[in-house]
Structures are given as C-alpha cells and as structure tokens.
Amino acid sequence: MGLGSICQRRESLEIGSMPRAKKVAEHHPEPEPACGAGDPRVKGVTLSAQQLSTLLHEMRNPLTALSTLAKLLQKRLPPEDRNHWIGLSIEQECRHLQDLLAEFERLDGIPAPLQLQPLSLADLLREWIPIYQALAETQGHHFQAVLPPSLPPVQADARALRQVLDNLIDNACKYTPPPGQIRLQVELNENCSTELQPAVSIAVCDNGPGIHPENLERIFDPFFRADLSKPGQGLGLAISRDLATQMGGDLCVDSSPQGSCFRLKLPTAQ
C-alpha cells in the first residue's frame, strides 16, 4: 500500500445494569509491595535509578533486533513492491523509540528543550500518513488525509509534532465506534483560540459521538478522562497542548454529536 494509493486530487492534493447484597469480607491488610512491584498505578511505587537504567538498557536489545529485521524486510521487498513502505515505517518507528529512550536516560531527569527549526510539513506528513492509515484501518476505520498543493515550512520540533499527531490520531481511532471516518486535513490560516499570522492548521477530525460541552476544556487537564472505559492515563491531550504552546502554536477542539475536530496551529517559518 504505497502513498500513491492514498493521494488524490480535488484541486488540492488529498492523501485521501441492582446487584445482590454481598457479605462484607473481613479486611486483612496486604503487605506493602517491594519497590517497583505490584500495580504500577499505585502511588508511591517507583523504580530505583538502577532498575530504571537496567530496564531502559534491556529495551534497546529488542529495538535493535526489530530495526535489523526491518532493514531485512526492505531488502526482501524492493522499492517497487507495494508493501515496501511497511519495512521502512518499522525502521522509522524504531528510531523514534530509540530517541524516546535517549530522553529517559538523561541523568538530570530534565526534558531536553525542543529543537525548533523550519520543517517541511508536507515531507513529514507524507512519511507519517501511511502509518496513520494502517493504524486506522486495523481498528476498522476509513482514513483520509488532505493536503493543499503547496505548504510553507513550519517552525516546529519534528519529534514534538509527531507526538502531538500520534496522540490526536490515536484518540480519534479509540473514541470513534467502527466503522468510522478519520480525517487529517492541513489548512492555511485556520482560525483557532489564538491569533498567529501566518500559520498552518493541522486538523484531525472524526465522526464519533463527540465530547460533552462541559468537558471541552477539561479534556486538556492532566489525568482527566471523559470515558473511563477506554485505556489510557488522561495525559495525551495535556501533553499535546503543552508541546503545541512550546512550539509557539495552539491546540483547540470543536465538537458536536456528529464528531470532533482537533486543530493544531503552528507558525510558519520566517
């Protein structure tokens, strides 16, 4: 499934229920778990620095193996093969994970500052869109991406931009009942909650049940989850908005019972 099969033209380029009473059991306190053991959600259970360092180190071995297998897959599937992009995408995802591991391994524990620089948004999206399409289709959704014929470079951090879009696409797929419609659309000078001129807007929209009006701003609060039946910690949107702000942009949402649309607004490179 090559990118060419995703792209189409339409004057712009489309990368197209009461329980019975129960006997109350006598309470027996459980022994406190050792450091790093038990339910990872329990507060106060942490990994020691040595345990964390060992875990991060051990994670690199399977990542290296996956990267090697991805390169082998690319050799078995030459560029002209319609499935060549799969091996290429696996290798790119391995590099992305290796970058994240390097961030965890920083001794001071302080996140590295964003590397803001002019980026070709069109080139990045053409690299990421096949991955998003595969993610949506495996969850029973139809994915469409729409890019205008030409795009100015944006001032952003590539890894942060990827993290924001990953969160938005994952949420759209997770909260939309299949079969759903997931759309990524890039627009120029789209209005949002801030005034940035000139700017580029990347919209991730779905046709799910929408977000209750009282939750429209709360969804950006850390650990807030509107639907507790869905997996996650309620951090994705909070992190995404913070990253958008650090890049000089904004992240906002419009929602109705017919669906939701998140817009990431980024300044163009001067």
Side-chain angles (χ1 to χ4, degrees):
M1 178 173 54
L3 184 60
S5 63
I6 305 171
C7 304
Q8 298 176 355
R9 285 274 184 182
R10 51 152 225 180
E11 297 187 12
S12 65
L13 183 62
E14 296 189 0
I15 304 293
S17 343
M18 170 166 320
R20 299 177 59 185
K22 296 182 180 180
K23 180 180 178 181
V24 178
E26 182 180 354
H27 175 69
H28 296 284
E30 298 181 358
E32 184 176 349
C35 180
D39 190 338
R41 296 170 296 179
V42 177
K43 294 182 180 179
V45 177
T46 59
L47 290 172
S48 68
Q50 182 177 355
Q51 287 174 316
L52 181 58
S53 178
T54 300
L55 178 60
L56 293 174
H57 176 76
E58 293 302 319
M59 288 177 66
R60 290 192 175 276
N61 293 330
L63 267 179
T64 300
L66 283 173
S67 181
T68 301
L69 291 172
K71 293 175 182 178
L72 178 61
L73 182 59
Q74 291 176 67
K75 291 183 178 179
R76 297 290 180 89
L77 299 173
E80 60 270 17
D81 192 292
R82 62 192 298 267
N83 292 315
H84 177 78
W85 70 274
I86 298 176
L88 182 62
S89 295
I90 294 174
E91 184 181 6
Q92 292 168 348
E93 293 305 289
C94 287
R95 287 200 299 266
H96 182 49
L97 286 173
Q98 288 167 343
D99 288 343
L100 292 176
L101 286 178
E103 184 72 19
F104 274 114
E105 289 175 338
R106 289 174 55 86
L107 297 180
D108 55 15
I110 301 174
L114 299 187
Q115 301 297 318
L116 300 180
Q117 57 185 316
L119 298 175
S120 173
L121 184 58
D123 289 345
L124 290 175
L125 290 178
R126 289 190 176 99
E127 177 182 319
W128 300 339
I129 280 171
I131 300 172
Y132 295 148
Q133 182 179 36
L135 174 65
E137 291 181 350
T138 57
Q139 298 186 54
H141 301 305
H142 172 74
F143 179 86
Q144 179 189 30
V146 182
L147 302 183
S150 61
L151 280 172
V154 295
Q155 190 76 6
D157 177 282
R159 191 171 63 182
L161 174 57
R162 174 66 189 274
Q163 185 172 357
V164 174
L165 293 182
D166 283 359
N167 287 333
L168 297 181
I169 296 291
D170 179 66
N171 277 358
C173 292
K174 184 165 57 178
Y175 288 99
T176 302
Q181 303 288 329
I182 311 297
R183 186 177 78 257
L184 184 153
Q185 183 165 349
V186 181
E187 302 165 332
L188 299 178
N189 300 319
E190 179 70 20
N191 290 328
C192 200
S193 61
T194 61
E195 292 298 328
L196 298 172
Q197 296 292 337
V200 172
S201 173
I202 309 173
V204 176
C205 307
D206 62 64
N207 64 340
I211 304 167
H212 195 281
E214 68 180 12
N215 293 331
L216 278 177
E217 278 303 316
R218 295 186 67 196
I219 59 173
F220 293 105
D221 293 341
F223 303 108
F224 176 78
R225 297 168 61 196
D227 187 349
L228 299 180
S229 67
K230 302 297 183 181
Q233 299 298 321
L235 287 171
L237 290 177
I239 293 173
S240 295
R241 173 171 273 188
D242 180 63
L243 289 174
T245 301
Q246 290 186 55
M247 290 187 288
D250 187 33
L251 178 62
C252 61
V253 59
D254 295 312
S255 187
S256 73
Q258 286 72 47
S260 301
C261 194
F262 288 82
R263 286 185 172 84
L264 170 64
K265 194 173 185 183
L266 295 172
T268 59
Q270 300 298 322

